[in-house]
Amino acid sequence: LVVAESGGSILLSSVNTAGSGSSCSTGTNISMNGTSYKEALACSGGYSSKESMYAWVLGRHASTFSTTVGLADSGKTDATATVRILADGNEVARADVAYGKPAKVNADVSNALRLEIAVSSKNGDTVYLGDALLKGTTTQIDQLEAEK
């Protein structure tokens, strides 16, 4: 008999960032396509083909990363951006977003030491990650919380 362990989740903003580089800031009540997000990470996009990279240490303590990626309703109406989600340097999800057109992302980060988010935008627009959650077993999430 195998009993599955129950799961848990933690906001990405509660997880340690990797390195001393830039990090996404935490915004509150950000609206994307008419939907308000109580918490959203604001990640500035690199200009043209240059990506801005943001990273968090997972320590192999998560299985899934989920979020809604988009641009704020209060932003420029011609804004567009590309967001790549990487687990240990390997692309696990990609989203092309535009004003009023956010995208839901569910990425497999099982066994990953590091989660990276690469953001690029023609005009350096800020991309928001609404309700950015890491999911895993209760034990995994407890370990992420303890490492903060």
Side-chain angles (χ1 to χ4, degrees), residues 59-138:
R60 305 194 198 287
H61 302 310
S63 57
T64 306
F65 170 65
S66 66
T67 187
T68 299
V69 178
L71 301 155
D73 291 349
S74 59
K76 296 178 277 189
T77 57
D78 64 344
T80 60
T82 298
V83 179
R84 295 187 317 121
I85 311 298
L86 301 107
D88 293 338
N90 299 307
E91 186 175 304
V92 292
R94 180 187 189 99
D96 293 309
V97 297
Y99 179 81
K101 295 181 179 172
K104 290 198 180 299
V105 172
N106 283 297
D108 181 357
V109 295
S110 298
N111 212 30
L113 290 170
R114 180 186 293 232
L115 170 71
E116 293 172 306
I117 297 179
V119 180
S120 60
S121 171
K122 182 176 61 178
N123 299 312
D125 298 300
T126 297
V127 170
Y128 291 88
L129 308 175
D131 297 335
L133 287 174
L134 288 165
K135 299 172 186 172
T137 65
T138 303

